[in-house]
């Protein structure tokens, strides 16, 4: 299963409510068959610009990073659900491939398959 | 004046023309066959040129002699040529020459066969070497492929083990609350700059 990362921006709320939002999100993920690896908090920060969402204008938000393993088919449904969540300002799902191999980058010493081309 | 071989004859006639004949078109000139003769030529009787009998006799004798000699010479030459050709084919030297040529031919053929044999041996040796080299290469490549496969398998096993290790840290329904509390307590900050040796140089403060 490929590995995804959900960069979640939640509304600037009190701690219990933020906890509840996170719990809701993780439970949604697990219901859809994802396996959550870890959760990171990047703090409550000033947003780079004012974002209007769900009839509210936000200047600050909590940044959270959720990485999980999931089937690709659930992602659209998940994003749809997150867009509808009132407490979520901006959900972003990114692919997280750490095993990308750069073996055949140009300039590396990969052996040429055709010896007759090089004289 | 000369015997005219007309163009309207068959091509065979042209080819079989005698030596003194001339291949000229026999044309009637300006007037055709049914045109009346000209007034100045109406009563003309064509008269052959006058001949002196004595002169005639002398000339005839001389001509016959001359022609005889010429014919004889020509036939002599023809005969000589035919004899030469005959001698070349069925003469005293012909057999020996034929034998020599046959010998030469046999010798050359033998040499050719020897060369062929030699080349065949060389070629077979070469092909054998090439086959062996190819087999060696194939076996080496098989070994390489196998090694690669083993490497891959080992890499995959390592990954699986790594994943199993990581799985202990995954979030489950039981850990959920605890992990959320942990996360909320420890805000991470990735806003730092790094120099070429990998040491952290600058940190931006979270507001």
């Amino acid at each position: 299963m490929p590995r995804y990362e959900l960069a979640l921006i939640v509304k600037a709320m009190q701690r219990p409510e933020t906890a509840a939002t996170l719990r809701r999100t993780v439970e949604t993920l697990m219901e859809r068959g994802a396996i959550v690896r870890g959760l990171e908090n990047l703090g409550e920060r000033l947003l780079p610009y004012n974002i209007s969402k769900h009839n509210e204008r936000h200047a600050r938000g909590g940044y959270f990073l959720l990485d999980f393993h999931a089937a690709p088919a659930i992602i659209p449904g998940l994003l749809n659900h997150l867009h509808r969540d009132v407490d979520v300002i901006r959900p972003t799902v990114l692919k997280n491939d750490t095993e990308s191999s750069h073996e055949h980058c140009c300039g590396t010493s990969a052996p040429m398959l055709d010896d007759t081309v090089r004289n | 004046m000369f015997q005219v071989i007309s163009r309207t004859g068959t091509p065979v006639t042209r080819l079989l023309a005698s030596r003194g004949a001339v291949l000229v078109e026999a044309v009637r000139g300006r007037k055709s066959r049914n045109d009346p003769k000209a007034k100045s030529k109406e009563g003309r009787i064509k008269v052959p040129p006058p001949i002196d009998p004595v002169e005639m006799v002398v000339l005839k004798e001389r001509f016959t002699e001359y022609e005889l000699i010429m014919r004889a010479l020509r036939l002599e030459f023809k005969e000589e040529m035919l004899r030469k050709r005959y001698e070349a084919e069925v003469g005293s030297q012909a057999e020996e020459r034929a034998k020599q040529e046959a010998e030469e031919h046999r010798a050359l053929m033998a040499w050719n066969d020897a060369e062929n044999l030699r080349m065949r041996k060389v070629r077979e040796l070469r092909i054998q070497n090439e086959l062996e080299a190819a087999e060696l290469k194939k076996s080496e490549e098989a070994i390489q492929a196998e090694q690669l496969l083993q490497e891959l398998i080992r890499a995959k096993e390592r990954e699986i083990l790594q994943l199993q290790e990581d799985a202990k840290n995954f979030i489950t329904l039981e850990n959920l609350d605890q992990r959320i509390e942990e996360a909320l307590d420890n805000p991470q900050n990735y806003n730092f700059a790094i120099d070429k040796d990998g040491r952290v140089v600058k940190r931006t403060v979270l507001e």
Side-chain angles (χ1 to χ4, degrees):
Chain A
M1 277 201 292
R3 193 172 152 169
Y4 294 98
E5 194 174 72
L6 172 60
L8 198 63
I9 311 184
V10 294
K11 201 162 104 162
M13 305 172 285
Q14 300 297 320
R15 197 174 152 131
E17 287 140 1
T18 322
T21 310
L22 287 173
R23 197 199 163 89
R24 233 189 358 229
T25 314
V26 174
E27 274 173 4
T28 314
L29 269 172
M30 297 182 115
E31 268 167 42
R32 284 160 201 263
I35 301 170
V36 185
R37 275 175 89 106
L39 165 61
E40 279 166 18
N41 177 14
L42 303 176
E44 188 187 298
R45 316 189 49 183
L46 210 61
L47 295 176
Y49 42 86
N50 295 345
I51 302 182
S52 310
K53 193 88 177 167
H54 303 299
N55 292 324
E56 265 185 53
R57 204 142 177 270
H58 308 272
R60 300 184 68 89
Y63 283 71
F64 290 94
L65 220 51
L66 250 186
D67 54 37
F68 59 98
H69 284 289
I74 65 167
I75 303 294
L78 176 71
L79 276 172
N80 196 10
H81 179 273
L82 287 170
H83 279 301
R84 285 182 213 275
D85 192 343
V86 187
D87 291 328
V88 164
I89 301 179
R90 186 161 293 182
T92 313
V93 172
L94 307 158
K95 266 191 286 204
N96 201 357
D97 269 327
T98 49
E99 299 94 22
S100 57
S101 58
H102 294 283
E103 288 166 9
H104 302 292
C105 257
C106 34
T108 53
S109 57
M112 280 188 65
L113 297 167
D114 196 3
D115 282 334
T116 56
V117 174
R118 214 188 266 171
N119 215 358
Chain B
M1 200 159 56
F2 300 107
Q3 187 197 352
V4 161
I5 307 289
S6 70
R7 243 168 155 219
T8 50
T10 54
V12 183
T13 328
R14 283 186 73 188
L15 285 169
L16 296 175
S18 60
R19 224 173 134 231
V22 170
L23 292 170
V24 191
E25 278 264 337
V27 292
R28 272 193 73 84
R30 204 174 57 85
K31 284 191 178 173
S32 87
R33 206 181 195 202
N34 310 317
D35 290 334
K37 275 205 157 340
K39 267 199 289 201
S40 61
K41 299 276 185 296
E42 247 173 28
R44 186 169 180 257
I45 305 169
K46 282 199 255 191
V47 168
I51 309 171
D52 189 14
V54 180
E55 193 194 8
M56 189 85 209
V57 166
V58 171
L59 280 174
K60 267 207 160 54
E61 282 177 22
R62 286 190 191 170
F63 266 120
T64 39
E65 224 181 293
Y66 169 75
E67 299 236 319
L68 184 76
I69 295 171
M70 290 301 283
R71 212 180 293 139
L73 278 172
R74 284 198 197 105
L75 287 175
E76 286 265 357
F77 292 143
K78 273 193 207 161
E79 201 190 328
E80 191 184 332
M81 197 199 67
L82 286 171
R83 190 184 306 130
K84 275 203 181 123
R85 201 189 295 165
Y86 178 76
E87 284 235 3
E89 283 177 21
V90 185
S92 49
Q93 310 291 329
E95 277 177 31
E96 284 145 33
R97 233 182 315 123
K99 236 189 298 174
Q100 270 178 4
E101 280 184 19
E103 279 282 334
E104 238 179 282
H105 181 76
R106 226 178 310 130
L108 285 170
M109 287 300 280
W111 181 83
N112 192 20
D113 285 334
E115 275 291 310
N116 281 354
L117 207 67
R118 183 177 72 87
M119 291 308 285
R120 197 174 112 185
K121 289 211 173 70
V122 168
R123 194 178 351 131
E124 279 179 1
L125 217 76
R126 182 170 31 99
I127 286 180
Q128 209 176 359
N129 285 349
E130 278 179 6
L131 273 171
E132 282 172 15
E135 272 202 37
L136 224 82
K137 211 162 123 174
K138 208 160 72 166
S139 63
E140 273 185 21
E141 278 183 4
I143 291 172
Q144 289 278 356
E146 225 185 275
Q147 275 181 351
L148 218 74
L149 204 69
Q150 294 292 329
E151 281 285 331
L152 274 165
I153 290 175
R154 259 175 280 159
K156 292 282 179 207
E157 280 179 2
R158 255 178 283 150
E159 276 180 30
I160 290 173
L161 285 169
Q162 182 68 27
L163 202 61
Q164 276 177 350
E165 286 288 322
D166 290 337
K168 294 175 192 159
N169 293 344
F170 284 174
I171 299 183
T172 59
L173 289 160
E174 297 88 24
N175 306 10
L176 188 55
D177 289 321
Q178 187 198 352
R179 289 295 279 266
I180 290 179
E181 296 299 312
E182 249 184 70
L184 285 170
D185 285 331
N186 314 333
Q188 270 260 14
N189 184 14
Y190 290 114
N191 282 352
F192 50 85
I194 270 187
D195 68 359
K196 283 191 194 167
D197 298 323
R199 292 172 295 191
V200 171
V201 164
K202 189 163 85 158
R203 271 192 188 274
T204 337
V205 170
L206 198 62
E207 57 305 340

